[in-house]
Amino acid sequence: MTNAADIAYMNWQAEEEIAIERAVIRGRAYYDGDPFSFLTDRLRLFFELDTNDDLDFNLNVCRPVIHAITERMIVTGFASTDPELSKWLWQLWNKNKMDSKQADIYNDSGVSGAHFVIIEWDNSEKFSAFYPNQRYTSASGINGETLDGTGDGVNVKYQNDDLNQPIEYYSKRWIESYIDAKGNTHTRNRMTLYYKDRIERYQMLAGGWELYNTDDEPSIVYQLDANGNKLETPLGFPVFGFFTPGHRSDIADAIAPQDGINKLLIDALADADIGKSIIALFGAYPTTDGRPAAEDGSNLLDMLPRQVIGSANADGHLDQIDGIDIRPTLEAIEKLMSWTASITGTPASRFASGQVESADAQKERKESLIAKIEARENNWGDVWEDVMLYALKLQNLYGGGIDGTLIDESIEVNTQWKDPQTRNELDTLNGIKIKVESLSISKQQAWREAGYSQEQIEEMMGDMESEAMMRARVAAINTAPPVVDNSFGAIIE
């Protein structure tokens, strides 16, 4: 009988999935700088590197395409009509150390087209734990094709494989080690399917995927209430995806120019290596052992520019090779960088290019980048809001609410982002002042737009309350009627 895990596995085996995983693996490699042009053996000698070293030499233009977007995406808090809820949400964010983890989520999603966060209730700590997961790629291969993925990660299945249709389930696969009854260590493939109302756990055995259970947890786990009863209204998927438009990598269009740049860079190094050099010419090519050159060239002497080699050959003499002008090659690299900036909507300054854009071109490129960042913040801000509201449901269900009070789960929550534009501080404050005077926005919102964090806002609110109480006490003292001391017939101020 075919179970859900077998169906999920068959979906992974589909040709379309193979193509997607291949693209994800390639994108990650280009982002990391792994598969670029390798140095020739001669250039390795020039740099005094071991010829067996897999060191690659490249000028990475893919990574700046990602970082130009993600480095300005910084969550600063979560706004709601309930200040205590906003405070609790920000504490939960910090408890999960998302300030440091969010950049990895955004970077990997930009590279791979997707990244996921799984939420699980930590009953010992009584809080919702966030677990970031990369998109799944196979470590061994699919349908006989060898892939070089991680063998770990999450995938999503849409109805009819249409990104615009509802999600059927999420699936997480990984490889785990275990020790059998005899003390031997083995590995096995695991899979968990996440549905709106349950999770199903599987392991790969010789006959295929089979349900996996332990003494602590069954293979199929339904969402339960605090008393262990199945929920009548499921909480929904505990997995949340951060997707790029169309799940497409942000560096997809930069890969071809990257290949060209690295090829030209190696050419420039090779040409510069030759330079305008004086070389010794012999009647026969010098060898390492003084014997005639072997057919396979194994005993030929490696020669570098300006290297002095003695020879008793009477026919030997000195000659000069004119150097190659590498400026056209460098100009071609600059042109490819400019094209990369244009097709990816990335400011050319991100590539440390020697070309200087006009003020209008810089302005247009910056506006395009800011628009892309704001669109991404709008989409992923919605995801963070869903994450936080799901965590609130778990807190109400298993943690007794916040400080013993159940919170309305229909309350609106808005993700607050640091302004992606690098503005003059005075211009920023003047803009906020206009909003306060014309739109009557609250002090808290004004502070958020000025770049203050949720902790700083709460501290300032506390300071204001303390100052108000102090002013009220002083006013009460100043307006109090004088006290008459009849024993001395005097008025005491």
Side-chain angles (χ1 to χ4, degrees), residues 91-102 130:
Q91 290 173 341
L92 179 63
W93 173 273
N94 288 321
K95 188 174 181 64
N96 279 283
K97 304 186 185 305
M98 298 312 298
D99 265 351
S100 59
K101 295 179 181 178
Q102 61 176 324
F130 301 165

Side-chain angles (χ1 to χ4, degrees), residues 144-315:
E145 177 179 351
T146 300
L147 296 177
D148 191 23
T150 62
D152 180 279
V154 173
N155 206 346
V156 58
K157 177 64 171 65
Y158 294 89
Q159 291 183 10
N160 303 319
D161 294 323
D162 183 350
L163 301 183
N164 297 310
Q165 295 295 317
I167 294 173
E168 291 185 0
Y169 58 80
Y170 292 89
S171 51
K172 175 176 171 61
R173 280 186 64 184
W174 70 101
I175 301 171
E176 71 174 8
S177 299
Y178 69 98
I179 300 176
D180 63 17
K182 297 180 180 180
N184 299 317
T185 301
H186 305 274
T187 61
R188 61 187 168 202
N189 288 285
R190 292 285 312 280
M191 179 192 298
T192 297
L193 301 182
Y194 295 87
Y195 294 90
K196 286 186 174 182
D197 63 339
R198 69 190 187 281
I199 65 171
E200 298 181 2
R201 306 191 303 157
Y202 295 87
Q203 63 178 330
M204 172 70 82
L205 298 177
W209 290 99
E210 294 188 9
L211 288 169
Y212 173 82
N213 60 71
T214 63
D215 295 336
D216 298 329
E217 196 169 21
S219 55
I220 300 178
V221 182
Y222 284 90
Q223 294 174 359
L224 307 175
D225 61 21
N227 297 318
N229 301 314
K230 183 178 176 181
L231 289 177
E232 295 183 5
T233 304
L235 300 177
F237 296 110
V239 186
F240 300 85
F242 293 79
F243 303 113
T244 58
H247 298 200
R248 189 173 187 268
S249 173
D250 288 329
I251 62 174
D253 294 329
I255 288 178
Q258 177 72 79
D259 289 337
I261 288 169
N262 288 316
K263 172 60 171 64
L264 290 170
L265 182 61
I266 295 299
D267 290 345
L269 286 172
D271 292 343
D273 176 30
I274 295 175
K276 190 172 184 178
S277 303
I278 296 175
I279 65 170
L281 299 178
F282 304 92
Y285 199 97
T287 58
T288 56
D289 53 12
R291 298 176 180 178
E295 291 185 4
D296 60 0
S298 59
N299 65 338
L300 294 179
L301 184 66
D302 289 321
M303 298 179 64
L304 295 174
R306 298 172 180 84
Q307 183 175 357
V308 177
I309 300 175
S311 174
N313 193 320
D315 297 328

Side-chain angles (χ1 to χ4, degrees), residues 241-479:
F242 293 79
F243 303 113
T244 58
H247 298 200
R248 189 173 187 268
S249 173
D250 288 329
I251 62 174
D253 294 329
I255 288 178
Q258 177 72 79
D259 289 337
I261 288 169
N262 288 316
K263 172 60 171 64
L264 290 170
L265 182 61
I266 295 299
D267 290 345
L269 286 172
D271 292 343
D273 176 30
I274 295 175
K276 190 172 184 178
S277 303
I278 296 175
I279 65 170
L281 299 178
F282 304 92
Y285 199 97
T287 58
T288 56
D289 53 12
R291 298 176 180 178
E295 291 185 4
D296 60 0
S298 59
N299 65 338
L300 294 179
L301 184 66
D302 289 321
M303 298 179 64
L304 295 174
R306 298 172 180 84
Q307 183 175 357
V308 177
I309 300 175
S311 174
N313 193 320
D315 297 328
H317 64 280
L318 297 177
D319 204 347
Q320 179 172 294
I321 297 178
D322 290 333
I324 299 174
D325 186 0
I326 66 172
R327 284 176 296 181
T329 306
L330 297 179
E331 290 171 0
I333 291 176
E334 294 279 0
K335 189 64 176 177
L336 282 174
M337 286 184 175
S338 178
W339 287 345
T340 304
S342 179
I343 62 180
T344 62
T346 306
S349 59
R350 300 290 307 191
F351 305 122
S353 170
Q355 297 183 357
V356 179
E357 292 185 310
S358 67
D360 289 341
Q362 291 182 37
K363 182 175 182 293
E364 182 179 355
R365 197 98 70 188
K366 179 180 178 181
E367 290 176 348
S368 174
L369 176 64
I370 294 301
K372 185 186 297 186
I373 293 172
E374 290 178 342
R376 194 68 55 89
E377 287 179 346
N378 183 56
N379 292 336
W380 290 353
D382 288 345
V383 180
W384 282 128
E385 290 154 19
D386 291 340
V387 168
M388 290 303 181
L389 288 174
Y390 192 94
L392 176 60
K393 292 179 181 179
L394 294 181
Q395 188 68 27
N396 280 340
L397 188 61
Y398 304 119
I402 299 175
D403 295 331
T405 301
L406 299 181
I407 305 299
D408 180 8
E409 297 172 3
S410 64
I411 192 170
E412 183 177 346
V413 172
N414 292 299
T415 307
Q416 304 294 303
W417 299 90
K418 184 177 180 179
D419 190 343
Q421 301 206 52
T422 52
R423 296 173 176 168
N424 177 281
E425 185 175 3
L426 181 59
D427 291 340
T428 300
L429 294 177
N430 284 334
I432 295 173
K433 180 181 178 183
I434 293 173
K435 289 184 179 181
V436 171
E437 295 174 348
S438 303
L439 304 178
S440 300
I441 67 172
S442 66
K443 277 190 175 123
Q444 293 94 322
Q445 181 62 29
W447 287 333
R448 289 190 194 98
E449 296 191 13
Y452 290 99
S453 68
Q454 189 66 31
E455 288 104 328
Q456 290 172 317
I457 292 173
E458 292 169 4
E459 185 177 348
M460 288 188 290
M461 289 294 294
D463 291 342
M464 289 181 63
E465 291 177 2
S466 299
E467 291 173 3
M469 292 175 63
M470 182 62 70
R471 286 195 297 269
R473 290 173 183 170
V474 172
I477 293 173
N478 291 337
T479 58

